[in-house]
């Protein structure tokens, strides 16, 4: 059963969520947007463009404590799994699709129990993009990730003076059943939903020339292309693209010991394949020494390796890596270069 909610009742809805959950929502900060834990409906900025960091960081945080130990008694070591009930709300389809990818990757054996516990404790409320959030440097439409078909409990579509709310899961149903401002959707609401989705098609345009289904194959044929050396000369290996990417999940671990040298803890520190030391092994060798090799690896990881493993691209086309690259490296330009060979 789908429902609708009037715009004027959304603040009440958020306020009611706050009484039961930690609520993570898009908020404005210094002219940009971030996902942050809110305390009041007034903090929410539902009409946002791409946030600096993706919402998946609330499911897969940096510096996460994984276990605690006692140096005098190694048998006392115990895992730490922290998973508060939380709602991630007003999530764009590209970021929902990124969470779907992370769900698959991190559920593979050995499963990431910390991520999966936090995922199970989280409610996802999606928010439909009726137009591109930016004019360029995104390729969600090229990849079909501007639409999310799963990975959420509720999904809001703006119909003008009200939202159409697609109720997908039992958790979503439990939420809407609890509040009388949700009204069962009728035939007129459904027709209006079809109309706004038809109109949505006019706003999106392709960024990459050619058939995206061929991208993985074309990239493999371009393994020795000059584009990697050209982009490698620009890259400063800062790792910003890794930090803002909603599907980068590589990490290192570090132990922290208390000053008394008795107790300590192990933490997950997010790592990045574009950093110079990422591929350096214990004997000192570095099997991706040049920036060109690292840039190529990152593109291949998203478009070749993950696609072979899971049958889908690992890049959702959000454009964060382009926006935050201080060297102005663009995967759109890389894709157009190889597709034009």
């Amino acid at each position: 059963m789908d429902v609708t909610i009037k715009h004027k009742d959304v603040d009440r809805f958020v306020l009611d969520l706050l009484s039961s959950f930690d609520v993570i929502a898009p908020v404005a900060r210094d002219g940009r947007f971030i996902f942050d834990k809110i305390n009041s409906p007034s903090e929410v900025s539902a009409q946002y463009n791409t946030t600096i960091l993706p919402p998946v960081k609330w499911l897969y945080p940096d510096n996460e404590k994984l276990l605690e130990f006692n140096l005098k008694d190694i048998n006392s070591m115990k895992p730490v799994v922290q998973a508060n009930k939380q709602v991630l709300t007003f999530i764009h389809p590209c970021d929902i699709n990124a969470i779907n990818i992370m769900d698959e990757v991190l559920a593979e054996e050995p499963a990431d129990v910390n991520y999966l516990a936090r995922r199970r404790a989280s409610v996802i409320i999606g928010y439909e993009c009726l137009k591109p959030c930016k004019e360029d440097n995104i390729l969600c439409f090229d990849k079909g990730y501007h639409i999310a078909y799963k990975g959420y409990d509720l999904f809001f579509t703006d119909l003008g003076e009200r939202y159409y709310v697609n109720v997908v899961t039992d958790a979503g149903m439990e939420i809407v059943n609890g509040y009388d401002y949700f009204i069962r959707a009728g035939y007129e609401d459904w027709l209006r939903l079809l109309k706004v989705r038809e109109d949505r098609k006019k706003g999106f345009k392709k960024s990459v020339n050619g058939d995206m289904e061929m991208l993985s194959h074309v990239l493999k044929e371009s393994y020795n292309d000059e584009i990697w050396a050209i982009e490698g000369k620009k890259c400063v290996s800062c790792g910003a693209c890794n930090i803002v990417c909603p599907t980068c999940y590589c990490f290192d671990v570090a132990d922290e010991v208390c000053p008394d040298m008795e107790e300590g803890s192990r933490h997950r520190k997010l790592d990045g394949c574009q950093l110079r030391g990422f591929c350096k092994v214990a004997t000192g060798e570095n099997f991706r020494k040049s920036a060109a090799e690292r840039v190529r690896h990152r593109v291949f990881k998203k478009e070749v390796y993950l696609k072979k493993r899971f049958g889908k691209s690992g890049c959702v086309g959000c454009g964060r890596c382009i926006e935050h690259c201080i060297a102005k490296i663009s995967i759109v330009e890389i894709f157009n270069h190889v597709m034009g060979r």
Side-chain angles (χ1 to χ4, degrees):
M1 180 190 73
D2 292 344
V3 297
T4 63
I5 179 173
K6 295 178 180 175
H7 281 193
K8 66 181 183 65
D9 289 325
V10 171
D11 280 0
R12 288 175 62 198
F13 173 50
V14 174
L15 198 60
D16 285 331
L17 288 176
L18 283 166
S19 66
S20 303
F21 300 92
D22 290 342
V23 178
I24 314 302
V27 301
R29 290 280 191 278
D30 300 325
R32 306 292 295 274
F33 296 97
I34 63 171
F35 278 98
D36 205 358
K37 184 177 175 180
I38 63 166
N39 297 303
S40 164
S42 63
E43 297 176 67
V44 179
S45 296
Q47 304 299 325
Y48 68 102
N49 55 28
T50 311
T51 54
I52 298 173
L53 293 178
V56 74
K57 302 299 182 185
W58 287 88
L59 301 171
Y60 195 70
D62 188 26
N63 201 30
E64 180 179 17
K65 184 188 287 188
L66 299 178
L67 59 85
E68 296 173 338
F69 56 82
N70 188 309
L71 292 173
K72 293 183 177 179
D73 179 12
I74 196 63
N75 293 323
S76 68
M77 183 173 62
K78 61 180 182 181
V80 176
V81 178
Q82 297 173 317
N84 297 334
K85 286 173 58 180
Q86 61 180 1
V87 175
L88 276 59
T89 189
F90 296 107
I91 310 297
H92 286 166
C94 64
D95 282 327
I96 291 174
N97 283 305
I99 292 171
N100 290 337
I101 292 169
M102 294 286 273
D103 286 351
E104 287 194 62
V105 171
L106 299 175
E108 276 201 324
E109 293 296 336
D112 190 311
V113 295
N114 292 69
Y115 173 85
L116 295 178
R118 194 172 282 109
R119 185 70 177 87
R120 286 191 292 270
S122 300
V123 171
I124 305 290
I125 300 179
Y127 188 80
E128 184 146 18
C129 293
L130 297 179
K131 61 181 181 179
C133 56
K134 293 188 293 185
E135 292 188 359
D136 50 23
N137 291 332
I138 57 173
L139 58 161
C140 54
F141 179 68
D142 300 71
K143 292 168 167 290
Y145 284 143
H146 66 306
I147 298 173
Y149 297 100
K150 66 174 184 176
Y152 47 84
D153 300 281
L154 299 173
F155 194 82
F156 279 47
T157 303
D158 193 349
L159 301 184
E161 76 294 342
R162 65 195 187 283
Y163 290 103
Y164 188 98
V165 183
N166 182 204
V167 183
V168 179
T169 65
D170 291 342
M173 183 61 74
E174 185 175 345
I175 287 173
V176 300
N177 280 343
Y179 309 122
D180 59 6
Y181 40 75
F182 284 108
I183 302 169
R184 185 167 187 164
Y187 184 63
E188 292 297 325
D189 300 309
W190 183 70
L191 288 178
R192 178 65 182 156
L193 176 69
L194 295 182
K195 177 68 169 56
V196 298
R197 286 183 171 171
E198 184 64 26
D199 292 344
R200 176 186 59 191
K201 296 177 181 176
K202 303 172 186 173
F204 286 88
K205 62 180 182 180
K206 279 174 64 67
S207 297
V208 178
N209 301 318
D211 182 359
M212 291 299 285
E213 289 297 316
M214 294 298 294
L215 180 59
S216 179
H217 173 72
V218 172
L219 280 168
K220 286 187 279 189
E221 294 293 318
S222 306
Y223 189 83
N224 294 313
D225 194 280
E226 62 181 2
I227 189 68
W228 311 118
I230 294 170
E231 300 302 321
K233 286 180 181 176
K234 299 181 197 173
C235 181
V236 297
S237 302
C238 65
C241 52
N242 295 131
I243 294 171
V244 300
C245 178
T247 61
C248 275
Y249 53 86
C250 292
F251 67 91
D252 198 354
V253 293
D255 289 347
E256 297 178 4
V257 180
C258 295
D260 61 9
M261 298 300 288
E262 291 187 0
E263 296 182 337
S265 54
R266 178 164 295 173
H267 297 252
R268 184 209 309 266
K269 309 275 189 178
L270 298 185
D271 206 345
C273 59
Q274 299 307 285
L275 301 175
R276 290 185 177 87
F278 182 78
C279 292
K280 192 173 183 179
V281 294
T283 52
E285 288 88 355
N286 191 325
F287 51 90
R288 278 197 291 274
K289 285 183 181 178
S290 72
E293 291 173 299
R294 294 192 290 271
V295 170
R296 180 177 60 191
H297 171 77
R298 182 167 187 276
V299 174
F300 270 59
K301 176 68 179 291
K302 303 293 183 185
E303 302 298 339
V304 179
Y305 308 144
L306 284 177
K307 186 158 189 178
K308 181 179 180 181
R309 198 161 136 200
F310 296 102
K312 65 185 74 170
S313 167
C315 167
V316 295
C318 66
R320 289 185 175 94
C321 60
I322 303 173
E323 183 177 352
H324 295 282
C325 179
I326 60 175
K328 306 300 182 187
I329 294 173
S330 165
I331 55 170
V332 171
E333 292 178 6
I334 292 173
F335 291 165
N336 275 323
H337 173 86
V338 299
M339 295 291 271
R341 291 175 77 242

